[in-house]
Amino acid sequence: MELANILESQVGRIASRRLKVLHVGKFYPPHMGGMETHLQALCGELQKSVDLRVIVASDDGSEADETLNGVSVNRVPTRLTLASTPLCPGMISKIRDCQSDIVHLHFPNPMAVLAYLASGHSGRLVVTYHSDMVRQKFLGPMFEPLLHLALRRSSAIIVTSPNYLSTSPVLARHRDRCEVIPLGIPLEEFDRDKGTSIATVREQYGDRLIVSVGRLVYYKGFEYLIRAMTQVQGKLLIVGEGPLRRKLSTLAAELNIADRVVFLGKIDHQLLVSCYHAARVFVMPSILRSEAFGLAQVEAMAAGLAVVNTQLDSGVPYVSLHQETGLTVPPRDPEALAAAINKLLDDDNLRASFGRAARLRAEQEFSLDVMAARTLSLYDKVMLCPS
C-alpha cells in the first residue's frame, strides 16, 4: 500500500508540471566533438518536453549564460585543465542549487562526477556512459572508486550499445541499472543534398569514391586505410582534421598514392552530405575501443551508403552489421580492408542492397526522435521509482 501511494504521488506530480532536468556535459557547441554534438542534438529535442538546462565547462576562465536554439546553456569558468579534463569548481554550486528532478551526467567527464558528488543533490541521477576512460592509465584507477560511487547512486545508466555494456569492466558492476539507448541523429539532414551537387564531387574526384570521416587521431586507424588504398582502384576522401594530418599525408606520399588520397579537412555540412552521396562506400577503420560507437557510420547509413567497419569490442560493429548493412573486418588489417572495399566497389547489387538496409536500420534504431523518445520514457520510469 505504501509503495502504491508513493507511485500515485509521483504520477500526480509528473502530470502537474514539466519535469526539470539538468544535463551536465564537458563542453557544448560551437566547441565540437562527438559528445558535444550528441548533447546538443538530444537537448534540442528534449527541451520540447521537459524544463531543461545544460551546464558545461567554458573554453576559458569566463562564465556565459546563453540560449541556443531554445536550450539554456551555462558555461562555467574553467580554472585548470588536467589530463584533458577541465576543472570547474563552480559546477558544484550550480548542481546544488539547480532544483532539478533529474541530473543527467554525460561520462567520461570526471569533473561532472566530482561536482555531482560534492553537490549533495537529492534528486534522481541518470548517467549516459559514452565510454570507459581508455587512455587515463594513471588517473583512471585513482578516479574509478568515485565513478563507482556515482554509478551506485544513479537511478539509471544509459549505454549506447549492448556491445559496450557486455565489454566494459566498469559497467559489469552496475548492469542492473543499465539501459541501452543508441545514439541518434536528425536523419533528414543527410538526405540527398540540395547544395553542392553529387555530380560536381564526382567530376572533381572520380566515380569510384570511398569516404571516411573522423578526427585524425591515433584510434581512428587512418594509416591502415591509407595502406589499404595501395590495393584499391579508387579515390579516398578523408574528412576531418587532427594532429596526425602531416604524418598521414607523408605516408600517402611514401606509398605513391598521394593522388588517390584526398584530405578535405574540415568541411561544411552540405559538402559533407554531397560527399556521402557521391561515394560508393563509407569506411570506419578504427583500431581501439576508444571508438565507442562511431556516429559517422550513422550519417553514412542515413545517406544510404554501405559501410566497411572493424570488429572492435565496442559499439562500432553493432551500428553497421556484417553482411547486412556492410562488411566488418579485423582491425589493423590493410589487406582485409582493401578486400572489403573492392568487393563493394565492384558489386553494384550487393552495395545497393547494403545501402538500403543501412538506411532502414538508421531509421529504426539511430534517429534523433527515437533516441529522444527512449530517453523521455526512461525519465518517466526513473521518476516513478521510489528514491
Side-chain angles (χ1 to χ4, degrees):
M1 180 64 69
E2 181 180 356
L3 177 58
N5 291 337
I6 291 173
L7 293 176
E8 183 178 353
S9 174
Q10 292 281 18
V11 170
R13 185 161 68 89
I14 293 172
S16 66
R17 64 170 178 81
R18 282 164 65 98
L19 199 65
K20 293 184 177 181
V21 182
L22 176 70
H23 279 252
V24 185
K26 192 172 184 179
F27 296 107
Y28 197 86
H31 185 117
M32 294 310 295
M35 284 180 61
E36 288 73 29
T37 301
H38 164 72
L39 185 61
Q40 181 183 47
L42 177 61
C43 290
E45 281 296 302
L46 294 181
Q47 60 91 20
K48 300 173 184 177
S49 304
V50 301
D51 184 351
L52 186 142
R53 291 174 52 220
V54 177
I55 63 171
V56 294
S58 68
D59 285 313
D60 53 34
S62 62
E63 181 165 4
D65 281 297
E66 52 193 330
T67 300
L68 301 173
N69 297 320
V71 178
S72 175
V73 180
N74 180 209
R75 302 182 196 270
V76 183
T78 299
R79 301 305 183 196
L80 179 68
T81 299
L82 180 64
S84 300
T85 298
L87 301 183
C88 313
M91 278 191 178
I92 298 172
S93 60
K94 298 289 184 184
I95 297 174
R96 180 187 298 128
D97 301 336
C98 70
Q99 297 183 331
S100 295
D101 302 300
I102 295 174
V103 171
H104 188 151
L105 304 184
H106 292 262
F107 186 84
N109 182 3
M111 183 66 237
V113 173
L114 294 172
Y116 169 79
L117 291 174
S119 73
H121 182 265
S122 59
R124 308 298 203 276
L125 172 66
V126 172
V127 178
T128 294
Y129 194 93
H130 293 269
S131 74
D132 299 323
M133 295 178 63
V134 178
R135 294 198 80 187
Q136 302 297 336
K137 302 300 184 184
F138 176 69
L139 291 179
M142 295 177 60
F143 173 74
E144 195 167 294
L146 295 173
L147 173 59
H148 283 296
L149 177 59
L151 294 178
R152 283 196 300 272
R153 291 188 183 182
S154 69
S155 298
I157 303 167
I158 296 173
V159 189
T160 58
S161 72
N163 300 41
Y164 213 90
L165 175 57
S166 67
T167 57
S168 168
V170 172
L171 294 177
R173 293 167 57 175
H174 307 280
R175 292 199 177 193
D176 59 320
R177 291 178 171 82
C178 292
E179 180 153 339
V180 174
I181 300 180
L183 301 181
I185 63 171
L187 301 180
E188 66 278 2
E189 293 186 4
F190 296 89
D191 290 338
R192 187 165 289 270
D193 63 308
K194 303 177 181 63
T196 306
S197 71
I198 298 168
T200 300
V201 175
R202 288 178 177 164
E203 285 170 9
Q204 184 172 1
Y205 299 113
D207 184 52
R208 289 171 63 88
L209 289 180
I210 305 104
V211 66
S212 190
V213 178
R215 290 188 65 230
L216 308 185
V217 293
Y218 73 103
Y219 65 86
K220 293 290 186 177
F222 284 115
E223 64 176 286
Y224 298 95
L225 177 55
I226 291 171
R227 293 185 185 280
M229 287 301 296
T230 63
Q231 304 171 51
V232 174
Q233 290 304 310
K235 185 164 286 190
L236 170 65
L237 305 181
I238 297 179
V239 178
E241 284 288 359
L244 297 183
R245 170 69 179 266
R246 180 177 295 181
K247 180 179 179 181
L248 294 172
S249 297
T250 300
L251 176 62
E254 290 173 347
L255 295 172
N256 295 316
I257 55 170
D259 60 329
R260 294 195 287 112
V261 177
V262 181
F263 294 88
L264 294 180
K266 184 178 180 181
I267 61 178
D268 65 40
H269 177 77
Q270 198 55 61
L271 179 54
L272 173 62
V273 174
S274 296
C275 289
Y276 280 138
H277 284 279
R280 293 191 181 190
V281 181
F282 173 83
V283 183
M284 176 163 281
S286 304
I287 58 173
L288 294 169
R289 65 183 273 111
S290 301
E291 189 76 83
F293 190 84
L295 200 56
Q297 293 181 105
V298 180
E299 297 176 355
M301 292 162 68
L305 265 181
V307 173
V308 175
N309 62 13
T310 50
Q311 187 63 50
L312 300 177
D313 58 344
S314 73
V316 168
Y318 165 77
V319 175
S320 177
L321 302 175
H322 182 55
Q323 294 289 7
E324 182 174 329
T325 60
L327 299 173
T328 301
V329 302
R332 304 175 189 268
D333 191 335
E335 288 74 22
L337 276 172
I341 294 168
N342 285 328
K343 184 177 181 64
L344 292 176
L345 286 176
D346 296 336
D347 191 330
D348 294 346
N349 292 332
L350 180 64
R351 190 174 67 249
S353 174
F354 284 165
R356 289 191 297 270
R359 174 68 194 197
L360 179 61
R361 179 161 172 77
E363 291 172 351
Q364 293 176 339
E365 295 295 335
F366 307 125
S367 71
L368 178 56
D369 55 350
V370 168
M371 176 180 67
R374 288 168 171 169
T375 303
L376 288 170
S377 177
L378 180 64
Y379 287 168
D380 288 342
K381 185 165 67 174
V382 162
M383 292 305 299
L384 290 173
C385 293
S387 57

